[in-house]
Amino acid sequence: MTADHPGPTPSIGERLVAGEGALWGRITTHPFVVAAADGTLDRATFDRWLVEDHFFVLGFRRFLARLVALAPEEPARDVLAGALGPLGDELALFRSEASARGLDLDAEPCPTNLGYTSFLTSSLDDGWPVALTVLYGAERAYFDAWSAVRASADEASPYWRFVDNWSSSAFGEWVGAIDALLGDGAGDRPAAAVRRAFGRVVRFELRFWDAVHAGERW
């Protein structure tokens, strides 16, 4: 690119990711993610993740439903409401896999998981831009993490259905649609409250991976 043709302006979402620098990079290189990609993730660790993430998705769906109601206009509501159906499919996938593995999905979630889902809910009180940023951060983190897994995994992986769910082109388009909503009326750069909320999502995501990888308990 030349000075006369600097290229497209980064989206609000891309600016938020860039602002987290190395911390964001740790999401895609976390030991859980690396092990899922190279096939060394043990069954017990995956089982812990499955139970914990099922609990998270239940809370995430409630958060998203309330965010739909918070949206300032109908086109934004249409975008967000369209994801509620796929979340039901995700929960069905969790329940089918848990049944096959003999897992108890009603097990007590770990402290980090409870904290993260509570943070989702509390962000709604901070208004539309902040809560939408929290949504973007959580979904973008999963898309980037599972895309990193997909780069090394293949369809023979026992975890492929989960890999494909969060690294597919359809999921990438969903993340892009949220990014576009972030840019509506946001001006040239994200506000301080938005950057702070995004940073908290990143730290929660890393702590969540840590918790399921290490087996966090009360």
Side-chain angles (χ1 to χ4, degrees):
M1 297 295 177
T2 67
D4 293 333
H5 300 87
T9 301
S11 68
I12 293 295
E14 292 297 338
R15 293 184 187 196
L16 289 168
V17 170
E20 289 302 317
L23 200 61
W24 186 265
R26 286 174 52 195
I27 290 175
T28 59
T29 58
H30 190 279
F32 181 98
V33 175
V34 172
D38 66 18
T40 61
L41 185 67
D42 64 90
R43 180 185 177 108
T45 302
F46 179 81
D47 287 354
R48 280 197 302 272
W49 169 81
L50 193 151
V51 173
E52 293 289 352
D53 214 44
H54 175 264
F55 178 87
F56 179 83
V57 172
L58 287 175
F60 186 84
R61 183 169 63 171
R62 292 190 292 270
F63 159 73
L64 181 58
R66 290 181 58 188
L67 186 59
V68 170
L70 194 63
E73 54 189 10
E74 289 305 319
R77 290 191 187 95
D78 290 342
V79 170
L80 300 186
L84 290 171
L87 279 177
D89 295 337
E90 283 184 17
L91 289 170
L93 174 60
F94 279 118
R95 291 162 183 165
S96 172
E97 190 71 15
S99 177
R101 290 170 172 265
L103 302 176
D104 178 14
L105 291 178
D106 292 324
E108 180 72 7
C110 70
T112 294
N113 200 357
L114 282 173
Y116 195 2
T117 52
S118 296
F119 169 66
L120 295 180
T121 301
S122 67
S123 73
L124 294 161
D125 294 331
D126 293 324
W128 166 251
V130 167
L132 183 66
T133 298
V134 169
L135 172 68
Y136 175 78
E139 296 290 61
R140 174 65 187 269
Y142 250 41
F143 179 67
D144 282 14
W146 289 101
S147 293
V149 175
R150 189 186 190 104
S152 300
D154 58 44
E155 295 184 21
S157 167
Y159 313 129
W160 181 254
R161 290 190 298 168
F162 296 92
V163 174
D164 189 50
N165 185 71
W166 289 294
S167 64
S168 66
S169 59
F171 194 77
E173 290 170 3
W174 155 243
V175 174
I178 307 170
D179 193 356
L181 291 178
L182 283 175
D184 292 344
D188 293 333
R189 61 181 182 177
V194 165
R195 294 196 303 271
R196 182 167 56 248
F198 188 81
R200 287 173 179 168
V201 172
V202 175
R203 294 194 296 275
F204 263 122
E205 285 289 336
L206 288 170
R207 285 181 178 270
F208 183 87
W209 290 120
D210 287 344
V212 297
H213 193 252
E216 180 185 85
R217 294 287 184 269
W218 286 92

